[in-house]
Amino acid sequence: MIRYNFGIRFETSLTAYKKLSDSSYTVLRNANISLPALHHQREPLLQHALGAISFGAAVPKGLSADTPLLHVSMPILSGDMACELWLGNAATATEQHGNIRYRRNEDLLLGIIELHEDATATTSLQQATESAYRQIFALLDKLGFPSVYRFWNYMADINAVSNGLERYRQFNLGRQDAFLACGRDVAGELPSACALGLAEGPLQVAFLAGRIPAQAIENPRQVNAYAYPEDYGPRSPTFSRASLLQLPAGEVLFISGTASIVGHRTLHPHDVSGQTRETLANIEAVILEANRVTDHRRFDPAQLFYRVYVRHAADMPVIRDELCRLTGKHANAVFLHADICREDLLLEIEATAFSCALTSMDGQ
Ligand code: 3EB
């Protein structure tokens, strides 16, 4: 199964995508694709791939060896679209900068970095994070792609404590130090992000950046993450609830990992239905805020692609049923088994939405 996310509806053929990407407009779309479908793709699609993020036990085949691919070995609980391809106008060959592999076109860049932690250091995750983010910002400064739209962060043992500090909090320290060292704001206009844990492996970060700025969208129901009080760690997380990228061919809304947090507190501990409903209320609030900001365009919860991170595999059906209540019937979603960055959070949901200005290509 392939779903080209066109906002208006999910396309299952390449034609509409090709029409869009051959235009002189800057185009950014994603396609969520199953591994068998990816395996049977041929060039036109893959030439437009800036990069990919995949999940599950199997590493995708069928991407050219050249395409930056972040493979995160989180078990898939449900949904077959394990690979998220990011498609733009024709891209360059993949390039390397330090530990980063990236591909870009005139306007957009997708990069991935994987760093093993120094097993002898007690603050190894903090160090790896600072190093990864410093490398990323140095590359973007060098190439003139100043704006990051989205970060994906995956790390081993996110809730474990070392050197007296939970590893997610170490990650926040390293991330914020790198932002500051590279002259970046740590409040206000921040990229969207997610941060999840898995059993083992290196720190893995993917990022999507570009030449034009995006707009940070915050959630009126939540304290902005960069302003969390110190109870949640010595440094606040550096991300916005969503980022809105306005391109001539349509808008892209990157909704950050979203959880059952109101104000800055976790609600409904030990209650997975309650947490799911609260999480979805937060996502709806973010969508409403994005619609308010864009004024004339409409993002619709039924038209989003969702990735759902589930702490306890047995909770998946309950979460899926709540999500389907929001989206109407079938939700375009993949469910992954992951650790969430607060011990008391049972799930986190992220989403991507598109509003398409070039509606004329739709249905042709
Ligand atoms: C939260 O709202 C839940 O540290 O980059 C969500 C999305 C969360 C991104 C991050 C953390 C991050 O605080 C956790």
PDB file of all heavy atoms in Angstrom, residues 39 128 139 153 161 186 238 292 300 356:
ATOM      1  N   HIS A  39       9.486  -1.851  -2.697  1.00  0.00           N
ATOM      2  CA  HIS A  39      10.348  -2.760  -3.446  1.00  0.00           C
ATOM      3  C   HIS A  39      10.008  -2.747  -4.931  1.00  0.00           C
ATOM      4  O   HIS A  39      10.872  -2.954  -5.780  1.00  0.00           O
ATOM      5  CB  HIS A  39      10.164  -4.170  -2.860  1.00  0.00           C
ATOM      6  CG  HIS A  39      11.232  -5.099  -3.267  1.00  0.00           C
ATOM      7  ND1 HIS A  39      12.562  -4.867  -3.002  1.00  0.00           N
ATOM      8  CD2 HIS A  39      11.190  -6.271  -3.933  1.00  0.00           C
ATOM      9  CE1 HIS A  39      13.280  -5.838  -3.485  1.00  0.00           C
ATOM     10  NE2 HIS A  39      12.483  -6.717  -4.055  1.00  0.00           N
ATOM     11  N   ALA A 128      26.572  12.859  22.887  1.00  0.00           N
ATOM     12  CA  ALA A 128      26.232  12.476  21.506  1.00  0.00           C
ATOM     13  C   ALA A 128      25.226  13.464  20.924  1.00  0.00           C
ATOM     14  O   ALA A 128      25.317  13.861  19.763  1.00  0.00           O
ATOM     15  CB  ALA A 128      25.677  11.055  21.479  1.00  0.00           C
ATOM     16  N   LEU A 139      26.415  22.289   9.303  1.00  0.00           N
ATOM     17  CA  LEU A 139      26.119  21.975   7.894  1.00  0.00           C
ATOM     18  C   LEU A 139      25.106  22.966   7.321  1.00  0.00           C
ATOM     19  O   LEU A 139      25.294  23.507   6.221  1.00  0.00           O
ATOM     20  CB  LEU A 139      25.568  20.548   7.783  1.00  0.00           C
ATOM     21  CG  LEU A 139      25.009  20.180   6.402  1.00  0.00           C
ATOM     22  CD1 LEU A 139      26.128  20.062   5.380  1.00  0.00           C
ATOM     23  CD2 LEU A 139      24.203  18.892   6.451  1.00  0.00           C
ATOM     24  N   ASN A 153      13.866  12.379  16.637  1.00  0.00           N
ATOM     25  CA  ASN A 153      14.932  11.939  17.553  1.00  0.00           C
ATOM     26  C   ASN A 153      14.606  10.578  18.149  1.00  0.00           C
ATOM     27  O   ASN A 153      13.515  10.392  18.710  1.00  0.00           O
ATOM     28  CB  ASN A 153      15.060  12.924  18.730  1.00  0.00           C
ATOM     29  CG  ASN A 153      15.363  14.341  18.291  1.00  0.00           C
ATOM     30  OD1 ASN A 153      16.453  14.617  17.788  1.00  0.00           O
ATOM     31  ND2 ASN A 153      14.409  15.255  18.464  1.00  0.00           N
ATOM     32  N   VAL A 161      18.187   6.159  34.016  1.00  0.00           N
ATOM     33  CA  VAL A 161      18.913   7.234  34.696  1.00  0.00           C
ATOM     34  C   VAL A 161      20.397   6.899  34.666  1.00  0.00           C
ATOM     35  O   VAL A 161      20.797   5.777  34.948  1.00  0.00           O
ATOM     36  CB  VAL A 161      18.421   7.360  36.155  1.00  0.00           C
ATOM     37  CG1 VAL A 161      19.258   8.378  36.919  1.00  0.00           C
ATOM     38  CG2 VAL A 161      16.939   7.748  36.178  1.00  0.00           C
ATOM     39  N   VAL A 186      16.331  29.467  21.578  1.00  0.00           N
ATOM     40  CA  VAL A 186      15.814  28.298  22.308  1.00  0.00           C
ATOM     41  C   VAL A 186      14.392  28.558  22.818  1.00  0.00           C
ATOM     42  O   VAL A 186      13.885  27.858  23.682  1.00  0.00           O
ATOM     43  CB  VAL A 186      16.756  27.871  23.457  1.00  0.00           C
ATOM     44  CG1 VAL A 186      18.067  27.362  22.891  1.00  0.00           C
ATOM     45  CG2 VAL A 186      16.982  29.010  24.445  1.00  0.00           C
ATOM     46  N   THR A 238      13.584  21.716  23.379  1.00  0.00           N
ATOM     47  CA  THR A 238      13.659  22.794  22.399  1.00  0.00           C
ATOM     48  C   THR A 238      12.863  22.401  21.155  1.00  0.00           C
ATOM     49  O   THR A 238      13.411  21.885  20.190  1.00  0.00           O
ATOM     50  CB  THR A 238      15.147  23.071  22.067  1.00  0.00           C
ATOM     51  OG1 THR A 238      15.861  23.225  23.307  1.00  0.00           O
ATOM     52  CG2 THR A 238      15.301  24.337  21.264  1.00  0.00           C
ATOM     53  N   ARG A 292      -6.420  28.790  12.325  1.00  0.00           N
ATOM     54  CA  ARG A 292      -6.613  30.195  12.690  1.00  0.00           C
ATOM     55  C   ARG A 292      -5.499  31.054  12.075  1.00  0.00           C
ATOM     56  O   ARG A 292      -5.760  32.102  11.491  1.00  0.00           O
ATOM     57  CB  ARG A 292      -6.595  30.323  14.222  1.00  0.00           C
ATOM     58  CG  ARG A 292      -7.063  31.665  14.748  1.00  0.00           C
ATOM     59  CD  ARG A 292      -6.935  31.744  16.266  1.00  0.00           C
ATOM     60  NE  ARG A 292      -5.552  31.655  16.736  1.00  0.00           N
ATOM     61  CZ  ARG A 292      -4.673  32.642  16.676  1.00  0.00           C
ATOM     62  NH1 ARG A 292      -5.025  33.811  16.190  1.00  0.00           N
ATOM     63  NH2 ARG A 292      -3.437  32.464  17.099  1.00  0.00           N
ATOM     64  N   ASP A 300      -7.599  19.138   8.284  1.00  0.00           N
ATOM     65  CA  ASP A 300      -8.709  18.330   8.773  1.00  0.00           C
ATOM     66  C   ASP A 300      -8.161  17.058   9.428  1.00  0.00           C
ATOM     67  O   ASP A 300      -7.396  16.321   8.797  1.00  0.00           O
ATOM     68  CB  ASP A 300      -9.584  17.997   7.541  1.00  0.00           C
ATOM     69  CG  ASP A 300     -10.715  17.035   7.880  1.00  0.00           C
ATOM     70  OD1 ASP A 300     -10.816  16.597   9.043  1.00  0.00           O
ATOM     71  OD2 ASP A 300     -11.487  16.718   6.954  1.00  0.00           O
ATOM     72  N   CYS A 356      -3.485  21.651  -0.038  1.00  0.00           N
ATOM     73  CA  CYS A 356      -2.999  21.722  -1.405  1.00  0.00           C
ATOM     74  C   CYS A 356      -3.578  22.928  -2.111  1.00  0.00           C
ATOM     75  O   CYS A 356      -4.790  23.036  -2.271  1.00  0.00           O
ATOM     76  CB  CYS A 356      -3.352  20.439  -2.137  1.00  0.00           C
ATOM     77  SG  CYS A 356      -2.428  20.276  -3.641  1.00  0.00           S
TER      78      CYS A 356
END
